[in-house]
Amino acid sequence: MMFPYVPVPEYQSETVSVFRGWQPDEATCPENGFTLMENGCGQRAPGLCTRPPRQTALTLTNPRGLTAHSRLCWVDGDTLYYNGKSVGQVSDSEKTFVNMGAWILIFPDKLRFSTVDQTVEPLEATFVTTGETVVTLCRGDGEAYEYVSSPTAPDDPKAGQVWLDTSGETACLKIYSAATGLWSTIESTNLKVSSPGIGENFAQYDGVTFENAGVLNGTHVIAQREKDSLVIAGILSNTLTLPIGVKLSRTLPDMDYICEYANRLWGCNSEKHEIYASRLGDPTNFSCFEGLSTDSYTVTVGTPGAFTGCIAYGSSVVFFKEDVLHRLYGTLPSNFQMVTVHGPGVKNGCAKSLQNGSETLYYQGPGGVYAYAGGQPARIDSALSPLQLQNARGGYGRGVYVLMGQEENGQSHFLRYEEPNGTWYREDDSDVMDFAGMAGEVWFLSRQGALIRTAAEGSSLLLEGPGGEKEEDIPFCFVTGRLGMDLPGQKVYRRVQVRLLMEEGAFCRLSLSRDGGEWEPKGTFTARHTGRFTLPLIPGRCDTCRLKLEGTGQVTLIALHRLRERGSDL
């Protein structure tokens, strides 16, 4: 008797060990992607792991803004804090900060805070005279001239004699040379403006605007300054006396967005379509135009639409509209040049998403998240389609671009983009007001007031003290894309093994959904020690299936192994 031949089923053994992060569209998510993710991270790529624990330093009552200099600086209501200490008063409004040298500039208040002596002072200054103002001709150092004023030259002049020639429409100051017997024009003439306290609020080289000052109305640069007098460029045919009420002011233009580049404060105004730069090293002066390398700078752009953000990038500063990038190069006004790029810019309301990464600029644009490295911006969030975010904020540290944005329904998403593998991960629904960071350390301030460090590793460089409460037992949830889409018809899954790396005390629950059905619990596991563990399950016969891993603690998904055979089409 001969034994019959029995066909051996053709099993397929497959392993997925490279995971592609969060891809919320179920229709396009591959089987190594995840349609639902809570507290995911790619620090152990190509695996998927729980994000690092955070650390909550404190909770603000009325959060208004956060930045990082040598230490963290924030605003709670109308109080400014630096390194946890109250250092001054500001207005109760949402803030924008710019670091410039040892100063932190605060807008829209137009204040600056010194990180050296812990003082707050205004960027603008105003003075109104309370007594008569006397204006006389003087030398550059403020010393008064001894001169003769007449339409004709003095008879028998002496060497060095000064004559104010009033014969023309504009007076001209001249000096006599005995060697040549000629009168030479003094090209640079100055006026001394004297009034009690007139110089107290201003500094040398300030650009000051005069009002109610007759022929002096306009902007002048202060050449010399004393408590009761100012020296400015100009000439008069006679000593001028002005009544009480002369107003002097040093103001900043109204700027929608600001940044620092090349030791200048830069800003833009959408209504006037103008870009501004302050005097070199001096964020208080935008009206100094003397033909010097240190001058202020103003330029008008011809593109329509409102500005949506600005940031220093490489050897340039970039001003954005929603469909235009204005990139300005140079180191001084005489060589500033602008290059205009027509392409996706920053989405309105997302200026705080702008972040410099590793040689790349990241931001939220009208159609998604973009990376700009020169040339045309490239979209990097195709995996997140059709997700559209608004009110985005961004931060960067150690190769990770963190981004918080909201959908139209108000749902928040706290995301992280891992530069090394170009993958997006979703952490949670934290609603962030500001990110701040330095030297790889990233903090954020939530709209609920929590001041949080994104990775609680060691002591903080930006905030002295114990650092606050560190998270424990972080909850996580990962739902895979549909397994089995590579083959049509039914499959018989003989075995699926989920390979995990778990730290001691971590807990995981495994569930299965077949052909879009309800979630079926398949088991739970708690790690008694740190190590690698395999969780098995048998899906049985189905077309497609999905896995859900949820639990607490530090868990890394290393691989998915599956053994299956082809079934019928029914």
Side-chain angles (χ1 to χ4, degrees):
M1 177 180 179
M2 300 180 64
F3 291 98
Y5 286 94
V6 178
V8 178
E10 295 183 4
Y11 292 111
Q12 291 181 326
S13 178
E14 296 173 338
T15 300
V16 177
S17 59
V18 177
F19 300 99
R20 300 304 302 167
W22 187 47
Q23 303 191 33
D25 186 4
E26 292 188 8
T28 59
C29 180
E31 58 186 26
N32 64 341
F34 297 84
T35 59
L36 189 149
M37 182 178 293
E38 196 76 16
N39 290 323
C41 175
Q43 285 189 340
R44 293 179 177 176
L48 170 67
C49 62
T50 312
R51 64 162 173 81
R54 296 172 181 169
Q55 191 171 25
T56 302
L58 51 93
T59 301
L60 280 59
T61 303
N62 185 16
R64 288 305 195 179
L66 173 71
T67 190
H69 194 273
S70 303
R71 294 287 188 267
L72 285 181
C73 177
W74 64 85
V75 173
D76 189 0
D78 60 359
T79 305
L80 178 69
Y81 291 85
Y82 183 72
N83 196 28
K85 300 176 182 178
S86 172
V87 292
Q89 298 300 119
V90 296
S91 67
D92 188 357
S93 61
E94 190 167 333
K95 304 300 181 214
T96 299
F97 301 93
V98 173
N99 292 339
M100 190 169 177
W103 297 95
I104 298 176
L105 311 183
I106 306 167
F107 286 80
D109 300 50
K110 297 181 180 179
L111 299 174
R112 64 178 177 179
F113 167 71
S114 171
T115 60
V116 177
D117 56 20
Q118 312 279 290
T119 57
V120 178
E121 61 184 50
L123 292 169
E124 297 183 319
T126 302
F127 180 81
V128 179
T129 60
T130 57
E132 286 188 342
T133 301
V134 179
V135 186
T136 59
L137 274 172
C138 69
R139 302 179 188 276
D141 59 1
E143 183 183 348
Y145 275 116
E146 292 183 5
Y147 62 91
V148 175
S149 178
S150 65
T152 59
D155 296 332
D156 193 21
K158 297 179 180 180
Q161 184 174 348
V162 179
W163 165 44
L164 183 62
D165 183 359
T166 59
S167 60
E169 185 176 341
T170 302
C172 181
L173 198 63
K174 298 181 178 181
I175 188 170
Y176 183 74
S177 172
T180 62
L182 298 174
W183 290 93
S184 302
T185 301
I186 300 175
E187 298 294 342
S188 179
T189 59
N190 297 278
L191 301 173
K192 186 172 185 178
V193 185
S194 302
S195 185
I198 196 171
E200 287 185 335
N201 297 343
F202 305 103
Q204 188 180 19
Y205 307 126
D206 276 357
V208 177
T209 301
F210 284 70
E211 299 177 57
N212 306 322
V215 295
L216 292 186
N217 281 346
T219 301
H220 305 271
V221 176
I222 299 174
Q224 296 290 335
R225 166 209 166 270
E226 293 181 357
K227 178 183 176 182
D228 297 323
S229 65
L230 303 174
V231 175
I232 61 175
I235 191 167
L236 290 173
S237 56
N238 295 294
T239 297
L240 177 65
T241 300
L242 299 171
I244 296 174
V246 175
K247 182 180 179 180
L248 289 77
S249 58
R250 184 195 68 226
T251 60
L252 275 65
D254 292 327
M255 296 178 286
D256 302 328
Y257 303 98
I258 52 175
C259 68
E260 182 276 334
Y261 165 67
N263 203 20
R264 297 175 189 266
L265 177 63
W266 292 78
C268 54
N269 182 293
S270 297
E271 184 178 352
K272 297 181 179 179
H273 296 277
E274 290 181 338
I275 292 173
Y276 311 101
S278 72
R279 193 172 184 274
L280 182 66
D282 184 1
T284 67
N285 276 289
F286 284 78
S287 301
C288 296
F289 303 103
E290 299 181 287
L292 304 176
S293 63
T294 56
D295 275 355
S296 310
Y297 177 75
T298 301
V299 65
T300 302
V301 300
T303 54
F307 288 104
T308 55
C310 69
I311 192 172
Y313 171 63
S315 58
S316 65
V317 58
V318 187
F319 291 87
F320 290 86
K321 298 184 177 183
E322 284 206 334
D323 56 355
V324 174
L325 292 75
H326 293 289
R327 190 171 183 182
L328 200 147
Y329 299 85
T331 56
L332 58 152
S334 62
N335 68 16
F336 285 150
Q337 57 179 330
M338 184 179 295
V339 175
T340 299
V341 178
H342 291 272
V346 173
K347 187 174 185 177
N348 188 33
C350 298
K352 290 187 176 182
S353 69
L354 282 161
Q355 288 292 322
N356 278 296
S358 177
E359 301 181 358
T360 305
L361 182 62
Y362 298 106
Y363 60 89
Q364 175 69 48
V369 183
Y370 291 86
Y372 177 68
Q376 279 288 332
R379 189 176 174 187
I380 59 172
D381 70 336
S382 57
L384 302 182
S385 295
L387 187 69
Q388 290 294 322
L389 300 178
Q390 56 192 7
N391 303 321
R393 274 91 170 109
Y396 181 85
R398 297 178 183 176
V400 178
Y401 174 55
V402 287
L403 179 73
M404 189 290 302
Q406 296 174 325
E407 297 184 66
E408 288 187 3
N409 61 8
Q411 173 65 47
S412 297
H413 298 282
F414 189 113
L415 310 176
R416 54 187 293 143
Y417 176 72
E418 306 272 355
E419 275 186 328
N421 55 25
T423 304
W424 288 93
Y425 301 87
R426 186 182 186 276
E427 293 197 2
D428 56 22
D429 57 359
S430 295
D431 190 1
V432 178
M433 174 177 285
D434 273 326
F435 284 97
M438 192 170 291
E441 189 174 317
V442 179
W443 290 72
F444 71 88
L445 178 63
S446 74
R447 292 196 178 274
Q448 291 72 38
L451 182 60
I452 298 173
R453 184 180 172 199
T454 57
E457 300 173 357
S459 59
S460 171
L461 301 175
L462 298 177
L463 185 65
E464 295 178 347
E469 180 183 355
K470 181 179 177 180
E471 276 184 313
E472 295 183 0
D473 296 329
I474 302 167
F476 66 87
C477 182
F478 310 138
V479 175
T480 68
R482 288 181 290 178
L483 308 179
M485 291 296 292
D486 56 330
L487 291 175
Q490 300 291 310
K491 300 94 183 170
V492 179
Y493 288 88
R494 297 297 183 184
R495 182 171 64 248
V496 172
Q497 294 175 311
V498 181
R499 187 73 168 157
L500 301 175
L501 172 63
M502 304 176 68
E503 292 190 1
E504 183 180 357
F507 167 78
C508 181
R509 177 184 293 109
L510 184 60
S511 302
L512 171 73
S513 171
R514 292 183 289 186
D515 296 329
E518 297 293 325
W519 288 105
E520 306 169 16
K522 291 298 180 181
T524 62
F525 182 79
T526 301
R528 297 181 180 178
H529 60 85
T530 299
R532 291 178 172 82
F533 304 93
T534 300
L535 307 186
L537 70 156
I538 302 175
R541 189 174 186 272
C542 59
D543 181 9
T544 62
C545 64
R546 292 187 298 157
L547 302 179
K548 178 165 70 173
L549 289 81
E550 54 188 333
T552 58
Q554 291 295 324
V555 174
T556 302
L557 175 59
I558 301 174
L560 292 176
H561 305 281
R562 61 186 177 185
L563 183 65
R564 65 181 180 176
E565 62 176 296
R566 181 91 175 258
S568 67
D569 292 337
L570 301 178

